[in-house]
Amino acid sequence: MKKRLITSLLLGLSCMTFGQKKSDTKEWEQLFNGKNLDGWDIKIRHYDLNDNFANTFRVKDGKLVVSYDGYDKFDEKFGHIFYKKKFSNYIIATEYRFVGEQAPEGPGWAYRNSGIMLHCQPAASMGKDQDFPISIEVQLLGGSGKGERTTCNLCTPGTNVEMNGKLFTPHCINSKSKTYDGDQWVRAEVMVLGDSLVRHYVNGEMVLEYQKPQVGGGNVDAYNPAFKPDGKLLNEGYISLQSESHPVEFRKVEVLQLEGCMDPKALNYKSYFIKSLPNTCKYTKKKGKK
């Protein structure tokens, strides 16, 4: 049944591209309002929840900006900004670009490096000195101007995934995207189907796919073991954006829910929904009345 639903969803998303059905009109939820950080929690390593050290996360010219102009040195103060709502079946999209110079003493691997963290543990559950949330990371990379450097890669802080039916345990794997040098804007989209399937897209092109995101593995420090039950499938969680020492701007952060009313008679029916939420259905009149 679940495989049939996924197949139907993928067909529905394909139809949306061509605008064939009114019921397929995308209704994106804007997570970032372009004015302030309302609805978001901040956790920076070595600091308490919502202590936004040196105004690392801020809004400037309508963009959500990660900046280090208040840092003397980076000192591994990895940060994350979490949206305060959990998601399970959805598409997350953001338009981002890297700008300026890396923070002093930022690690070499973090040059033009950020990420979208999926199925995150709650921000409040992170240890004060924890570096990364237990999550699935869609790694965003900018080109260095020398050679290839793909984006929308996969990294796994405290997690694993399956690929081709086998458990994948290395920390990171590259996508098949192009390299995006300079300060150009890039649109990253990720389709997340609970604990079954995840697909990464860059500017509309699918560049990576994997299955069964789950807790496990290493590459995360100073966490509470209660939030790392290895082997547990990740069906839902929070979304966060990274601060890893290089300035980055996000001009859009939006989610397309894949859960909702699946009754074709309802006004808010969407054929691309994968999970039915009957109590969300809206009708012109109550069912059963003439």
Side-chain angles (χ1 to χ4, degrees), residues 35-148:
K35 300 175 182 179
N36 52 49
L37 299 179
D38 289 355
W40 296 82
D41 279 321
I42 293 168
K43 180 63 184 76
I44 297 174
R45 191 183 192 191
H46 308 314
Y47 295 87
D48 292 330
L49 182 68
N50 287 319
D51 183 346
N52 188 12
F53 171 77
N55 199 24
T56 301
F57 297 97
R58 64 186 77 167
V59 177
K60 182 178 179 181
D61 299 329
K63 300 184 290 290
L64 195 166
V65 173
V66 180
S67 181
Y68 305 96
D69 53 11
Y71 285 59
D72 293 326
K73 60 180 180 179
F74 185 63
D75 198 25
E76 296 191 339
K77 290 190 281 284
F78 301 108
H80 298 81
I81 184 167
F82 292 72
Y83 193 65
K84 292 183 179 181
K85 175 181 172 181
K86 286 195 293 187
F87 296 92
S88 180
N89 296 283
Y90 61 98
I91 297 175
I92 171 72
T94 185
E95 295 173 9
Y96 71 92
R97 69 174 180 178
F98 293 98
V99 296
E101 300 298 325
Q102 189 176 12
E105 299 186 22
W109 54 263
Y111 171 80
R112 289 186 173 252
N113 189 338
S114 185
I116 309 167
M117 318 300 278
L118 310 174
H119 285 344
C120 291
Q121 66 182 106
S125 72
M126 288 186 67
K128 186 171 183 178
D129 297 324
Q130 187 171 338
D131 48 2
F132 305 102
I134 296 167
S135 57
I136 298 294
E137 178 186 350
V138 181
Q139 184 190 52
L140 307 177
L141 294 179
S144 65
K146 300 177 182 179
E148 296 182 357

Side-chain angles (χ1 to χ4, degrees), residues 87-262:
F87 296 92
S88 180
N89 296 283
Y90 61 98
I91 297 175
I92 171 72
T94 185
E95 295 173 9
Y96 71 92
R97 69 174 180 178
F98 293 98
V99 296
E101 300 298 325
Q102 189 176 12
E105 299 186 22
W109 54 263
Y111 171 80
R112 289 186 173 252
N113 189 338
S114 185
I116 309 167
M117 318 300 278
L118 310 174
H119 285 344
C120 291
Q121 66 182 106
S125 72
M126 288 186 67
K128 186 171 183 178
D129 297 324
Q130 187 171 338
D131 48 2
F132 305 102
I134 296 167
S135 57
I136 298 294
E137 178 186 350
V138 181
Q139 184 190 52
L140 307 177
L141 294 179
S144 65
K146 300 177 182 179
E148 296 182 357
R149 199 169 190 241
T150 59
T151 190
C152 278
N153 305 316
L154 165 69
C155 291
T156 52
T159 55
N160 291 314
V161 301
E162 287 190 7
M163 288 187 174
N164 302 315
K166 296 180 180 180
L167 190 66
F168 180 83
T169 58
H171 179 46
C172 294
I173 185 172
N174 288 344
S175 76
K176 60 179 183 181
S177 85
K178 297 184 294 186
T179 299
Y180 294 89
D181 291 312
D183 298 350
Q184 63 181 302
W185 289 101
V186 180
R187 183 174 175 89
E189 295 189 19
V190 190
M191 183 179 71
V192 184
L193 305 186
D195 59 13
S196 60
L197 175 68
V198 182
R199 284 181 171 176
H200 298 188
Y201 296 81
V202 180
N203 290 343
E205 178 186 2
M206 191 180 80
V207 296
L208 189 63
E209 174 182 300
Y210 48 92
Q211 301 80 37
K212 295 186 178 179
Q214 57 193 268
V215 180
N219 300 291
V220 59
D221 293 325
Y223 60 86
N224 182 339
F227 292 92
K228 195 173 180 294
D230 288 0
K232 180 183 178 181
L233 291 174
L234 288 168
N235 182 57
E236 64 177 8
Y238 296 87
I239 293 169
S240 72
L241 303 173
Q242 278 192 322
S243 156
E244 284 200 309
S245 76
H246 201 111
V248 59
E249 300 178 345
F250 300 91
R251 67 180 179 188
K252 185 181 288 291
V253 186
E254 57 187 0
V255 162
L256 181 69
Q257 283 279 13
L258 301 179
E259 303 178 354
C261 181
M262 296 180 70

